[in-house]
Amino acid sequence: MKILFLGDIYGHPGRYLIQEHLQRLRQEFEVDLCIANCENLNHGRGVSQNSILQMKNAGVDVFTSGNHLWDNRQSLDFIASCREILKPANVQESALGSDFYRFQTQDGKRCAVVCLIGQTFMPAANFPITVLEEILENDLADEENIFVDFHAEATGEKRVMSLYFDGKISCLVGTHTHVQTADEQILPHGCGFISDVGMCGGHYSGIGVKKEIVLKKNISGMPERYHPSWEGLEINALFVELEKGKTVKIQRIKRGYEQAKSSPAFATIKG
């Protein structure tokens, strides 16, 4: 089974990139399943119904998330109703979103997707190892292919998760830092791993936010309203191929794109 995972899609620039280029990436890698982290879809904070539907129409099948999933309160009912939106399974049980999602292609290929959140420098959450063990034993015991997005700050915490679950899951990818790491590998028992897939959006920025804003905020010490950057557009993603529950191929993707004249920010960037 061939899977494309898109790093955190940040705001309108990130959505623009996916709408413009995802179908070509799907064709290039002959993708069976496309997963994307959606927690920054709506102006960098949370999701909206329209932004999720845009990404679905562009070719995203399943959405993982993180600590910003619920930032847009107007979308809470939609999150509760959309089974393809995964919350981190180790947050409070009452939090909205699915704990896991079983995906199946028309020709019968299957993969279960799970999302978890880290505990280091992150909001309070249950111990991710225990929660994932329970899901694997109680809910996904019949699934061969299992893909996990571990949304965490600390590289060491992500590494420990991959080592612990090597041989129990097919692939574990890190998200949250918006910076793609160069440590993709297949572990000894077949678990694919990368510390962080990165971000889809404007990379000449402060992890997606216009550089002028983050510079002003850090120099003045005062809060600022964030706006997504349209400069340095990149898609950061990971391609993995699974066979019998193991990763047999892993490839980091880092694609830069020119700004199209028809895009909303063309005048701002070129002018």
Side-chain angles (χ1 to χ4, degrees), residues 180-184 194 197 237-239 250-254:
Q180 189 179 82
T181 54
D183 59 346
E184 74 279 11
I194 187 171
V197 177
L238 189 76
F239 171 76
I250 187 166
Q251 180 179 341
R252 182 164 41 96
I253 299 168
K254 185 180 176 71

Side-chain angles (χ1 to χ4, degrees), residues 8 37 39 65-67 116-118 122 149-152 175-176:
D8 303 51
N37 189 291
E39 71 151 10
S65 66
N67 50 301
L116 297 159
I117 199 167
M122 298 291 278
D149 175 1
F150 189 38
H151 195 78
T175 57
H176 180 65

Side-chain angles (χ1 to χ4, degrees), residues 247-259:
T247 295
V248 296
K249 182 177 181 180
I250 187 166
Q251 180 179 341
R252 182 164 41 96
I253 299 168
K254 185 180 176 71
R255 300 279 177 91
Y257 296 95
E258 294 291 332
Q259 190 70 35

Side-chain angles (χ1 to χ4, degrees), residues 114-206:
V114 183
C115 180
L116 297 159
I117 199 167
Q119 293 183 305
T120 305
F121 309 124
M122 298 291 278
N126 296 317
F127 188 41
I129 287 179
T130 301
V131 172
L132 184 52
E133 281 186 320
E134 291 174 351
I135 290 174
L136 296 179
E137 181 179 350
N138 300 325
D139 301 299
L140 301 180
D142 59 335
E143 292 290 347
E144 186 173 52
N145 296 322
I146 299 173
F147 190 102
V148 177
D149 175 1
F150 189 38
H151 195 78
E153 184 80 34
T155 301
E157 189 177 13
K158 299 175 187 181
R159 185 63 169 169
V160 166
M161 284 287 288
S162 71
L163 295 173
Y164 186 88
F165 286 101
D166 183 24
K168 302 177 183 179
I169 62 175
S170 308
C171 187
L172 185 143
V173 302
T175 57
H176 180 65
T177 71
H178 295 197
V179 178
Q180 189 179 82
T181 54
D183 59 346
E184 74 279 11
Q185 68 175 134
I186 301 173
L187 295 173
H189 299 290
C191 180
F193 172 72
I194 187 171
S195 291
D196 206 288
V197 177
M199 177 186 76
C200 300
H203 282 248
Y204 189 44
S205 65

